[in-house]
Amino acid sequence: MHPAPSLILFSSLSGLGLGLLAWASLLRPEGGAALLAFGLGLALAAAGLGASVFHLRRPARARFAFSQWRSSWLSREAVLAPLALGTAALHGLLLALRGESPLALGLLAALLCALTVLSTAMIYATIRAVPRWHHWSVPAHFLALAAAGGALLAAPAPLAAALLIGAGVLVALHWHHGRTAFARAGQSAATATALEGRVRLFAPPHTGPNYVTREMAGQVGRARAGQLRLLALALGLLLPLALLWLSPPLAALSHLAGVLCARWLFFAEAEHVVSLYYGRP
Amino acid sequence: MTTLPPPSPVKLGLVIDLDTCVGCQACVTACKAWNTGGTGAPLADLDPWGASPEGAFLNRVHTFERLPEDGGPPQIVHFPRSCLHCEDAPCVTVCPTGASWKRAADGIVLVDEDRCMGCGLCAWACPYGAREMDPVAGVMKKCTLCADRLDDPALEPADRIPACVRTCPTGARHFGDLGDPESPVSQLVAERGGRDLLPDLGTRPVNKYLPPRTRDRAPGAPALDPVATDARGFLGWLDRALSTLPRLG
């Protein structure tokens, strides 16, 4: 799948921002600390949502995206994101100005943040045409990364360290599943064409690229996947663990860089079954 | 609405005969021509007369090579690929805006171009690559089964079928109601063993593909094997004389 910068930035920044808002909502800092934590969380999440708009060819029609929450995870995300940000903002404002806010409001804000991250992940996890994504490890590692990133900025260091290690394990499990996911899904040029025997593409329908090959049958940069995996682990997990007790903001920055690497791989390595019609993967 | 309607008794779709298709691309051209001049935004191209033209098409013809497992002769199969108007269309349910919908009356999967925000998620959800983003209008395009031809009283009755079916010179494309087991297309599917593409993905396509008939094996003896064992005359003498020489290789 095409690793669109808008989607990588969106899911990474909004994941970190929503994770931070969730932890701040639960741990209830007061006064200036609340202002800082909720302000940064809102800024990160809003920047992510802003980046996602660049993925739309007709952004003015994004207003319709709130309507189909009954069936579409993307619509659910669109509904949940402003609800989560609004609830967290209110909670943060009360904590900053009055030093107190109802416990239920904090719990609701944290739940809405988690549900927003879950709905982002479910957009991908429900696509059966991409076997690497159609797996429980996708929502699991999206949620774990958001929780760990937020904890780096808002939670006690031991908790953040434990969450980081947990997220690292889930990301590794997702990579492990991904290595063989396409083969295990069992689709081939033969099942794609309903032909019997050994089937291979003889001539493509067009010699140049088209929307389908650019968006779904591309193979950009998979050659450096191994190096990026190493970078994702080093920047996203190991360096933050080392920096956690020295400078949590630096640890979070390094973590974000690692998440960006992992998210790039998440798209670039995902094979879509339509590529079988184009003689790949 | 992007929730799927209850299954309709009428299921309009195509039956494509892979035995008959010669890969001439007439269906591709007819589709492009009709849908460029149709009711929605035109099916646009970028750089159409330049060095690297590309554009949106609703139908593409691939060519595959098939080697039968039983050692039969290899076959070239031309394979038109377009929207299968699935009964469980994943492209419909993922749409956040309600632009992607399945028509309750006849099961045609359509896009409301005035609601599409061009996010591309429906194209990701489709296993068949049936949807292409219009490079100029920025909205998703797909096969409509020429819904704008089917009930147009201005057209001759013979033309009230999809443009690809109308134009196919070999009769490899058939259009009809696959929900009615008595319809000619349903009977054709039953008779020829029509198949679903990627059936494991649970999309339940309405369109069916008729498999190509396996070709006959070439008759006669394998090349260069002796056909006569009792050679006489000049050729017999030559054969005996050659057999006395040592062999190389």
Side-chain angles (χ1 to χ4, degrees):
Chain A
M1 304 294 288
H2 171 60
S6 54
L7 294 183
I8 294 170
L9 276 174
F10 157 64
S11 63
S12 306
L13 290 175
S14 71
L16 181 62
L18 289 163
L20 171 55
L21 289 175
W23 280 116
S25 297
L26 291 175
L27 298 171
R28 316 164 67 78
E30 289 168 17
L35 213 55
L36 189 66
F38 283 94
L40 182 62
L42 287 169
L44 283 167
L49 288 169
S52 77
V53 172
F54 287 98
H55 189 67
L56 306 179
R57 290 290 309 271
R58 305 292 290 255
R61 294 172 180 173
R63 65 186 190 278
F64 296 127
F66 303 106
S67 63
Q68 305 300 314
W69 48 270
R70 286 180 197 82
S71 72
S72 163
W73 281 104
L74 179 50
S75 183
R76 285 170 200 163
E77 181 195 47
V79 171
L80 283 166
L83 281 180
L85 296 191
T87 313
L90 178 64
H91 184 55
L93 214 57
L94 288 175
L95 285 171
L97 299 180
R98 296 172 47 192
E100 57 169 12
S101 173
L103 181 68
L105 190 63
L107 289 176
L108 180 66
L111 179 70
L112 286 170
C113 289
L115 285 176
T116 308
V117 174
L118 178 72
S119 58
T120 303
M122 290 306 286
I123 293 170
Y124 306 112
T126 48
I127 296 182
R128 291 189 70 174
V130 183
R132 187 184 286 262
W133 288 352
H134 189 57
H135 194 247
W136 61 266
S137 64
V138 171
H141 92 266
F142 268 60
L143 280 167
L145 282 175
L152 277 175
L153 288 166
L159 178 61
L163 286 168
L164 265 182
I165 292 167
V169 169
L170 286 169
V171 169
L173 271 174
H174 174 66
W175 289 343
H176 177 71
H177 149 78
R179 266 187 326 120
T180 54
F182 199 89
R184 277 183 287 125
Q187 303 307 329
S188 63
T191 64
T193 55
L195 294 170
E196 282 168 2
R198 296 216 318 274
V199 177
R200 77 179 177 103
L201 183 69
F202 182 76
H206 44 95
T207 49
N210 74 348
Y211 177 75
V212 173
T213 61
R214 281 183 200 286
E215 193 73 11
M216 289 165 285
Q219 291 178 313
V220 57
R222 287 188 199 160
R224 294 281 171 265
Q227 286 90 332
L228 273 169
R229 253 191 277 284
L230 189 72
L231 264 183
L233 271 189
L235 293 172
L237 174 66
L238 302 178
L239 198 59
L241 276 179
L243 288 170
L244 189 50
W245 278 269
L246 299 173
S247 163
L250 266 186
L253 207 61
S254 167
H255 175 74
L256 178 60
V259 172
L260 287 170
C261 293
R263 211 42 61 79
W264 194 89
L265 283 168
F266 178 78
F267 289 100
E269 285 200 296
E271 313 93 336
H272 195 289
V273 293
V274 77
S275 51
L276 295 170
Y277 293 106
Y278 285 94
R280 303 168 204 158
Chain B
M1 275 301 293
T2 58
T3 42
L4 289 166
S8 58
V10 178
K11 301 181 204 304
L12 294 183
L14 300 176
V15 174
I16 294 172
D17 189 344
L18 298 180
D19 199 56
T20 317
C21 176
V22 294
C24 69
Q25 313 272 339
C27 53
V28 179
T29 313
C31 169
K32 180 83 169 177
W34 178 261
N35 286 293
T36 289
T39 50
L43 257 184
D45 294 311
L46 294 177
D47 195 21
W49 292 281
S52 50
E54 84 171 76
F57 284 74
L58 312 183
N59 182 29
R60 306 261 187 186
V61 180
H62 301 237
T63 301
F64 286 88
E65 174 199 68
R66 168 181 176 249
L67 295 172
E69 294 290 0
D70 62 2
Q75 259 178 293
I76 288 294
V77 180
H78 302 292
F79 183 88
R81 176 177 63 82
S82 60
C83 174
L84 308 176
H85 299 279
C86 302
E87 293 193 56
D88 283 329
C91 56
V92 170
T93 50
V94 299
C95 175
T97 65
S100 192
W101 61 297
K102 187 168 173 71
R103 199 152 79 174
D106 50 23
I108 302 181
V109 175
L110 294 164
V111 175
D112 178 352
E113 292 181 5
D114 294 330
R115 275 181 88 88
C116 176
M117 64 177 187
C119 71
L121 184 57
C122 55
W124 288 11
C126 172
Y128 309 103
R131 289 170 170 249
E132 298 190 17
M133 185 84 76
D134 188 287
V136 174
V139 295
M140 199 53 79
K141 294 286 194 169
K142 70 175 295 300
C143 163
T144 63
L145 279 177
C146 287
D148 53 344
R149 290 170 71 101
L150 301 183
D151 43 18
D152 184 352
L155 294 176
E156 293 289 324
D159 286 329
R160 291 177 205 166
I161 56 174
C164 58
V165 178
R166 185 73 181 92
T167 205
C168 179
T170 63
R173 303 177 73 93
H174 306 267
F175 168 72
D177 176 11
L178 287 143
D180 171 10
E182 302 303 317
S183 71
V185 279
S186 293
Q187 300 207 332
L188 189 61
V189 169
E191 183 190 321
R192 294 277 306 281
R195 296 185 184 165
D196 289 346
L197 306 183
L198 298 168
D200 297 346
L201 296 184
T203 53
R204 298 200 295 143
V206 169
N207 286 14
K208 305 290 179 215
Y209 283 76
L210 306 180
R213 281 169 267 232
T214 301
R215 302 290 184 260
D216 291 337
R217 288 165 195 256
L224 299 183
D225 273 10
V227 290
T229 51
D230 55 342
R232 287 187 293 271
F234 171 71
L235 285 178
W237 169 82
L238 186 62
D239 185 50
R240 285 191 297 281
L242 283 173
S243 71
T244 62
L245 289 174
R247 294 164 63 115
L248 184 67

